[in-house]
Amino acid sequence: MDTVIRLGLTLSQIGAVMVAVLLTVALLTLLERKVLGWMQDRMGPMEVGPYGVLQPVADGLKLFFKEDIIPAGANKFMFSMAPILSLVPALIGFAVIPFGPDWTVDVGGVDFKPFVITDINIGVLYILAFASIGAYGIILGGWSSNSKYSLLGGLRSAAQLISYELNVGLSIVGVLLLSSSLSLVTITNAQAGGFWNWYFFAWGSFPQAIAFVVFIISSVAETNRTPFDLPEAESELVAGFFTEYSGMRFAFFFLAEYGNMILVSCVATVLFFGGWHAPVEILQGPESLHWLTGMFWFTFKVYGFLFLFFWIRATLPRLRYDQLMRFGWKVLLPIALGNIVLTSIFAYIFP
Amino acid sequence: MSGSDLLLEYLTKFFPILIFTILALGFGLVTLLLSYLVQPKYPESEKLSTYECGSEPFSDSRMPFPVRYYVIAMLFVIFDIEVIFLYPWAITFKQLGVIGFIEMMIFIGLFVVAYVYAWRKGALEWD
């Protein structure tokens, strides 16, 4: 009986998270075009529904009913599987993100944490590992299309992903030094009390502001967003690794990119900005309302980061590929390494 | 807690991830299948040919590519392993005391030596 209840609870949690993520992606595709439009003194999409709010529905329906072309020279199996291989890691990363307070409720004799699907003690490593697996989808999609643009886009993407993966890994070590845990729930709990306890400010120990800057730049590069969208630089590579894709498979690459964007925003929120905690205790409200204010502050911060992604896209021009690699290896890596040394020295002197 | 209890707890914690993976895979496959059932299918040789800016594709694209990508992959493997070694140290930092601190500074020193070597050898250049 316990097993059945637990299974049911887990399934409903996973369902809720998947629906929430997919709806957020739909919302983001509209928001991105709207925000870009406003920043460039345009209106953005206006035709479908009032103020264009039904645009994501129209896009989704179009992609769903569109002919799915498999080019003649392509490796059919890998061409079909690559979008799924890139979508799955983007979705399952959300399994360890705490969306709200660390409560344990008793449902029919089963201990149940409503706001996190599973609190594993290697949460950070899990997310890093699956972020790397997403690169396989991209490189396989690029290679199996048997198109020169796709191949070059896939290769560039893989090289870029692994270069910036290193910086993401290094920038997180500073947070781990302060939190002594890899579990995202424990890391969030350690930042309770007020915004000065968030690891971005880290009152009383070394602030992780530098690590945060390295993390957010590397995340933009990892999700292939402007100014690091070399794999899909339309002026030289048409559409990069998904040049040959159409219909639903194209939509999956799109979903994966936006899902990854949401995921890195969640990770940045949890690691550096206190997760679901409010900036000051008073804004958190009474204990019984923590689930509501917690979810509110989490969503608020995540959308703040997503807005930052759009803002960066509207502001910065694209880098050249050699600049991109030089920036990752010769600028960000020494900064991230220096941050680890400084944090550990500081933590040793002022324990 | 005995060994089998510990194993059971681990399995309980990782089981939701397995379910999530299956559900995510299922979502992908079912959506692809449904879309396959309703979409039009009018293949013709022009439409199926590889996109090359309108001209006829003139060679196979499984061509050799620059060895640069390989060097970057090698460097990534080496440095990423060193980064992963930093993780357990960072977790247990507060219990290790001065010895752990000095040992890890030596390790980071070795990391820097390898990094400077790669830099001086020109492995990080892209041209």
Side-chain angles (χ1 to χ4, degrees), chain A residues 64-65 67-68 71-72 118-119 121 128 143 146 148-149 151 162 169 178 244 322 329-330 334 344 348, chain B residues 10 13 35 39-40 42 47-48 50-53 59 61-62 65 76 87 93-94 98 105 115 125-126:
Chain A
F64 189 76
F65 288 107
E67 183 175 0
D68 207 345
T118 177
D119 173 22
N121 53 7
L128 283 180
W143 179 81
N146 197 13
K148 290 165 191 104
Y149 299 112
L151 179 71
I162 58 179
L178 301 182
E244 298 291 344
D322 62 324
W329 283 96
K330 295 189 176 178
S344 58
Y348 184 69
Chain B
Y10 267 70
K13 284 201 162 173
S35 163
Q39 67 189 228
Y42 303 116
K47 195 196 268 178
L48 294 184
T50 308
Y51 177 77
E52 215 151 282
C53 296
S59 67
S61 15
R62 304 275 153 76
F65 52 82
F76 167 73
Y87 275 53
F93 178 75
K94 285 170 186 160
V98 66
M105 284 303 125
Y115 176 66
E125 306 295 333
W126 195 280

Side-chain angles (χ1 to χ4, degrees), chain B residues 20-53:
Chain B
F20 204 161
T21 314
I22 294 169
L23 280 184
L25 261 177
F27 165 75
L29 291 172
V30 167
T31 318
L32 272 189
L33 183 71
L34 287 180
S35 163
Y36 180 78
L37 293 177
V38 296
Q39 67 189 228
K41 288 175 232 12
Y42 303 116
E44 39 176 303
S45 67
E46 286 293 308
K47 195 196 268 178
L48 294 184
S49 75
T50 308
Y51 177 77
E52 215 151 282
C53 296

